[in-house]
Amino acid sequence: MYKTLLSFILLSSLMLQASDILPSWNEGTSKKDIISYVSAVTDEKSKDFIPKKDRIAVFDNDGTLWSEQPAYFQLFFIMDRIKTLAPQHPEWKTKEPFASALKGDLKGALKNGMEGLMALVMATHAGMTDEAFDDIVIEWIKTAKHPTKNVHYSELVFQPMLELLDYLRANDFKTFIVSGGGIDFMRPFASEVYGIPSNQIVGSSIEVKYENKKITRLPKFRFNDDKAGKPVAIHYHIGKRPVAAFGNSDGDFDMMKYTEANEKYKTLQLYVHHTDEKREWAYDRKSHIGKFDKGLDYAKEHNWTIVDMKNDWKVVYPFELKK
Amino acid sequence: MYKTLLSFILLSSLMLQASDILPSWNEGTSKKDIISYVSAVTDEKSKDFIPKKDRIAVFDNDGTLWSEQPAYFQLFFIMDRIKTLAPQHPEWKTKEPFASALKGDLKGALKNGMEGLMALVMATHAGMTDEAFDDIVIEWIKTAKHPTKNVHYSELVFQPMLELLDYLRANDFKTFIVSGGGIDFMRPFASEVYGIPSNQIVGSSIEVKYENKKITRLPKFRFNDDKAGKPVAIHYHIGKRPVAAFGNSDGDFDMMKYTEANEKYKTLQLYVHHTDEKREWAYDRKSHIGKFDKGLDYAKEHNWTIVDMKNDWKVVYPFELKK
C-alpha cells in the first residue's frame, strides 16, 4: 500500500513536471536539448553533475530576451530623450546628429557611425546622478511605446525565454545578463522583468565619479560589452567560466565559445534564430542589427542548439497568452 | 491548551534565537546595534522595513573580515611568489625591487612606493590565464603561513564577522566584499571562507584580454577599489546603494558615507576598531596599514557602531573556539 502510494505521488509529480516545464515551447529538438542538459547536470549520480555554485548561465539581452527591431530599444530611448531635452538645447535644431534625431530620422542621426552615436549617448546618458538616471529610464519604460508593435517595450520580451530563465533558476542556476546594451539602462527595469538582480546584469558602461556622497555619470565611454568584451566582462563581474550561454548574434559568439571551452563541465550553447517574420521579425546573415552569420555556421557545425523561433515557440510575447 | 502550546513554542524559538545570534559577540552596544538594526529592517510592520531585494550589505576585507598586519596578506603572497619565480629571473638578484623582495625585505622592496609595488604586482599577477592564477592562489592559501601567527592566512579571519555575515544572510541580506585587495586574489578562496559567491566579491583589478577562448592577465593596472573607488565599484558591480557597510579604516570611509546617504532606507555603518594587541593587533590613527583617523572621528560624531575588538569579541579567530 505504502509503495503504491509512493509510486503514485512520484508519478504525479513527474507528470506535473513534464507538463509544467517550458510550456510555451513546442516539443522538438530545442526543448529536448534544454531539458536533457539540465537533467544531466543537476543529477548527482550523473557524470555530468555540476555543483550548484558553478551553475552559471549567461544571457545576451537584445534579440535573445527581448526584440531588437527595427533598432535596439535603447536607441528609441535615446531618440525620445533627445526630443524631451530639446527645449533646453535650441542649438540642436541645426546641429547634427541632433537635428536628424529631432526629426525622428534615426538613419540620418547615425550616418557618421560611432561618432554620432556617442554624441547622442552622452547627451542623454551623462550629466546626472545614477539615481536620477534610474528614474528617467523607469519613467520611459512605463510610458514609451514601440513604433510598430504599439506596446510598451517591456512587453516585447520573449515568453519562452522567461520560462527558460525560471526553469534554470528552479534548478539552482544563477542567471546573468551579459549584454552590449547599457548596464545602467537595463538595470532599472530588467530586474523586475526577468527576475535577475541588478548585480547579475552586466553591460556596456560610461565612466562615473564619486563626489559629495553621490555617483555622477560622466560623458566618457568606459567599456564595450560586445564580442570579445563579453568574456572580459564575465571575468570581472562573475569571476568564473559559465556552463550555459544564450545569444542570438555574432556579438555573442565569443561568449558562447568561451563557455563551450569550459574544461570542467558539460556546457550548453543556445542561439535564438529570428525566423518568424509574422509574429516577430526574420533576419540573420545580412541584418545590420543582430547579424547572425559566423555564429550560425559554427553553431550548425558544432551541434549547438538553434531555436527556430517560428516553429519552436508556441507564443513569442507574454501578451499573446492573454488573448 | 493550544494557546499555551503556541506560547511555549514561540518562547522557545525566541530564546533559541537570542542565544544563537552572534555567539562570539559579548553583550554590549555593538551587538545591540546590529541586532536592533536587523530586527527593524526585516520587520514588515516596521516603518524601517527594507524589501529583500534592497538588503545590500558591503564589507571591506583587509582588517574587517581578516587581519592585515604586519602587512596586507596579498603582499606576503607577492613576496612568496617572487621567491618561487626567482630561478626563472636571475636578473632579480641585483634588480630592485626584486632584490629586496628576495631577501624578505618588504620595506626595502616598497621604498619607491607605488612604482616598486606595481613592478612586484605585475611580475606575480600577470602573464597567465585567469584559471592558472586561481590555481596559484589556491595552492598558496593552502600552504603558506603567517610570519608571526604561524597559521594559514585563511585561519586569520574574524570569527565574530563570520557570524555577522551568516546572521545577515539568514535575514535575506545579500553580502558583498568591496575591498582594495585584488579581485582575483580574493575570489579563489574567499567564496569558501566567507560564503560569498565570486560575483559578489569586488576588488582592485588589472587588465585582461580575451583570445583563443581564454582570459589572459595583462601587466596593466585597471581599477583601484579604495577610497572614492569603492562607491564607484559598488555602482558597477551592484548597481544600487547599500543599506549596511562594514569597514575598519579611512579607505572605507567613502563607501560608508555613501551608504549612510541612502535616502530610501535606514542604514547601518560599523567600523571594526583594532584595539586588541594581545589577540590581534592594536592600531588606528598612526598606522601605515589600515589608518583609521578621519573615519574614527566621523564615526564617533555620527553615532556609527564602533566595534572595540578587545571588549566586544569573545574570540577573534575561529581556531580559538577549538581550544
Side-chain angles (χ1 to χ4, degrees):
Chain A
M1 178 61 197
Y2 172 73
K3 272 196 176 169
T4 318
L5 187 66
L6 195 70
S7 311
F8 176 75
I9 292 169
L10 280 173
L11 194 67
S12 317
S13 111
L14 281 171
M15 282 166 65
L16 187 70
Q17 242 183 342
S19 65
D20 266 350
I21 293 175
L22 307 176
S24 299
W25 292 69
N26 287 315
E27 300 306 320
T29 316
S30 296
K31 182 168 179 172
K32 205 180 288 171
D33 283 356
I34 296 167
I35 294 177
S36 77
Y37 175 76
V38 171
S39 305
V41 303
T42 56
D43 173 3
E44 279 189 54
K45 285 168 200 148
S46 162
K47 67 171 176 35
D48 297 322
F49 178 72
I50 303 176
K52 287 179 188 177
K53 69 178 175 56
D54 291 332
R55 293 183 200 161
I56 303 290
V58 289
F59 288 79
D60 169 56
N61 185 35
D62 296 309
T64 300
L65 294 179
W66 72 352
S67 293
E68 60 182 350
Q69 294 289 359
Y72 297 123
F73 294 174
Q74 193 170 0
L75 275 172
F76 292 116
F77 168 75
I78 289 172
M79 301 287 276
D80 288 346
R81 285 301 296 164
I82 291 289
K83 280 174 198 156
T84 305
L85 295 169
Q88 299 159 46
H89 297 274
E91 76 280 9
W92 284 358
K93 277 183 197 150
T94 53
K95 194 180 167 189
E96 290 296 352
F98 305 99
S100 294
L102 285 173
K103 286 177 216 142
D105 174 11
L106 185 61
K107 216 169 168 178
L110 299 180
K111 69 169 179 273
N112 288 326
M114 277 308 278
E115 197 188 327
L117 178 61
M118 280 301 119
L120 295 170
V121 168
M122 295 317 163
T124 52
H125 286 62
M128 69 293 279
T129 67
D130 56 345
E131 285 154 338
F133 186 71
D134 285 356
D135 292 342
I136 291 168
V137 173
I138 289 168
E139 178 62 21
W140 179 81
I141 205 87
K142 274 187 193 162
T143 55
K145 291 199 169 177
H146 187 275
T148 62
K149 297 278 182 192
N150 200 32
V151 295
H152 295 119
Y153 291 96
S154 57
E155 295 179 79
L156 296 174
V157 296
F158 302 139
Q159 174 64 27
M161 297 305 282
L162 296 181
E163 294 168 7
L164 176 54
L165 285 167
D166 280 341
Y167 174 55
L168 289 171
R169 287 191 292 253
N171 284 282
D172 297 303
F173 281 78
K174 202 176 260 188
T175 53
F176 290 82
I177 290 176
V178 181
S179 166
I183 190 167
D184 298 319
F185 172 73
M186 292 184 286
R187 282 175 167 175
F189 64 86
S191 286
E192 208 174 309
V193 173
Y194 302 127
I196 298 179
S198 63
N199 67 298
Q200 290 167 217
I201 297 171
V202 179
S204 297
S205 54
I206 62 174
E207 295 287 343
V208 302
K209 71 170 172 187
Y210 173 76
E211 217 173 59
N212 298 326
K213 306 182 186 179
K214 282 179 184 139
I215 293 288
T216 302
R217 300 171 58 76
L218 304 177
K220 193 181 164 202
F221 198 72
R222 176 178 172 262
F223 185 78
N224 184 16
D225 189 20
D226 198 26
K227 300 194 173 77
K230 294 202 176 201
V232 168
I234 288 169
H235 169 77
Y236 289 124
H237 285 265
I238 307 180
K240 55 177 75 174
R241 208 184 272 257
V243 297
F246 304 85
N248 77 300
S249 77
D250 287 354
D252 308 313
F253 191 25
D254 282 327
M255 168 171 91
M256 294 170 77
K257 279 192 292 187
Y258 178 60
T259 302
E260 184 188 37
N262 192 318
E263 285 176 7
K264 270 170 99 176
Y265 301 118
K266 182 182 177 75
T267 64
L268 174 69
Q269 286 70 232
L270 181 150
Y271 259 132
V272 174
H273 192 188
H274 292 262
T275 53
D276 194 330
E277 61 183 338
K278 206 171 160 194
R279 295 183 299 179
E280 209 242 0
W281 284 269
Y283 58 97
D284 49 35
R285 296 184 192 275
K286 285 172 185 166
S287 177
H288 193 61
I289 282 168
K291 184 178 175 178
F292 184 32
D293 183 38
K294 281 185 195 170
L296 182 53
D297 290 335
Y298 188 97
K300 283 179 181 171
E301 281 161 29
H302 289 75
N303 279 316
W304 289 3
T305 302
I306 304 174
V307 171
D308 176 348
M309 195 183 266
K310 187 174 177 179
N311 294 306
D312 284 344
W313 288 358
K314 287 181 192 161
V315 297
V316 174
Y317 301 121
F319 57 75
E320 296 170 40
L321 291 174
K322 290 169 200 154
K323 277 179 182 166
Chain B
M1 178 60 198
Y2 172 72
K3 272 197 176 167
T4 318
L5 187 66
L6 195 70
S7 312
F8 176 75
I9 292 170
L10 280 173
L11 194 68
S12 317
S13 111
L14 281 172
M15 284 167 63
L16 187 70
Q17 244 184 342
S19 64
D20 266 351
I21 294 174
L22 307 175
S24 298
W25 292 69
N26 287 315
E27 300 307 320
T29 316
S30 296
K31 183 169 177 172
K32 206 179 289 172
D33 283 356
I34 297 167
I35 294 177
S36 76
Y37 174 76
V38 172
S39 305
V41 303
T42 56
D43 174 4
E44 279 189 54
K45 285 168 201 148
S46 161
K47 66 171 176 39
D48 297 321
F49 179 72
I50 302 175
K52 288 180 188 177
K53 69 179 178 51
D54 290 331
R55 294 184 200 162
I56 302 290
V58 289
F59 288 80
D60 169 57
N61 185 36
D62 297 309
T64 300
L65 293 179
W66 71 354
S67 293
E68 60 182 352
Q69 295 288 358
Y72 297 124
F73 294 173
Q74 194 170 0
L75 275 173
F76 292 116
F77 167 74
I78 289 172
M79 301 288 274
D80 289 347
R81 285 302 295 165
I82 292 287
K83 280 175 198 156
T84 305
L85 295 169
Q88 299 159 47
H89 297 273
E91 75 282 9
W92 284 357
K93 277 184 197 149
T94 53
K95 192 180 168 189
E96 289 296 353
F98 306 99
S100 294
L102 285 173
K103 287 177 214 140
D105 175 10
L106 186 60
K107 216 170 168 179
L110 299 181
K111 69 169 179 273
N112 287 327
M114 278 307 278
E115 196 189 329
L117 177 61
M118 281 300 120
L120 294 170
V121 167
M122 296 315 164
T124 53
H125 285 63
M128 70 293 278
T129 67
D130 57 344
E131 285 154 339
F133 186 71
D134 284 356
D135 293 342
I136 291 168
V137 174
I138 289 168
E139 178 63 21
W140 180 82
I141 205 86
K142 274 188 193 161
T143 55
K145 291 199 170 177
H146 187 275
T148 62
K149 297 280 184 193
N150 201 31
V151 295
H152 296 119
Y153 292 95
S154 57
E155 295 179 79
L156 296 173
V157 296
F158 302 139
Q159 175 62 27
M161 297 303 284
L162 296 181
E163 294 168 6
L164 176 53
L165 286 166
D166 281 341
Y167 174 55
L168 288 172
R169 287 190 292 252
N171 283 282
D172 297 304
F173 281 78
K174 203 176 257 188
T175 54
F176 289 83
I177 291 176
V178 180
S179 166
I183 190 168
D184 298 319
F185 171 74
M186 292 183 286
R187 282 175 166 175
F189 63 88
S191 286
E192 210 174 307
V193 173
Y194 302 127
I196 299 178
S198 64
N199 66 298
Q200 290 167 220
I201 297 171
V202 179
S204 297
S205 54
I206 61 174
E207 296 285 345
V208 303
K209 71 170 173 187
Y210 173 75
E211 217 173 61
N212 298 325
K213 305 181 187 178
K214 282 180 185 139
I215 293 288
T216 302
R217 300 172 57 76
L218 304 177
K220 192 180 165 202
F221 198 71
R222 175 178 172 264
F223 185 77
N224 184 17
D225 189 20
D226 198 25
K227 299 193 174 75
K230 293 201 177 201
V232 169
I234 288 169
H235 168 77
Y236 288 124
H237 285 265
I238 306 180
K240 54 177 75 175
R241 209 183 271 258
V243 297
F246 304 84
N248 77 300
S249 77
D250 287 354
D252 308 313
F253 192 25
D254 282 326
M255 169 171 89
M256 294 169 77
K257 279 192 292 187
Y258 177 60
T259 302
E260 184 187 36
N262 191 319
E263 286 175 7
K264 270 170 100 176
Y265 301 118
K266 184 183 176 74
T267 64
L268 174 69
Q269 287 69 233
L270 181 151
Y271 257 134
V272 174
H273 192 187
H274 292 262
T275 52
D276 194 330
E277 63 182 337
K278 207 170 160 194
R279 295 183 299 179
E280 209 243 0
W281 284 270
Y283 58 97
D284 47 36
R285 296 183 192 276
K286 285 171 185 167
S287 177
H288 193 61
I289 282 168
K291 183 178 176 178
F292 184 33
D293 184 37
K294 282 184 194 170
L296 182 53
D297 290 334
Y298 188 97
K300 283 179 182 172
E301 281 161 29
H302 289 73
N303 278 317
W304 288 3
T305 304
I306 304 174
V307 171
D308 176 349
M309 194 183 268
K310 188 173 177 178
N311 294 307
D312 284 346
W313 288 358
K314 286 182 192 161
V315 297
V316 174
Y317 301 122
F319 57 75
E320 295 169 40
L321 291 174
K322 290 170 200 153
K323 274 179 185 166

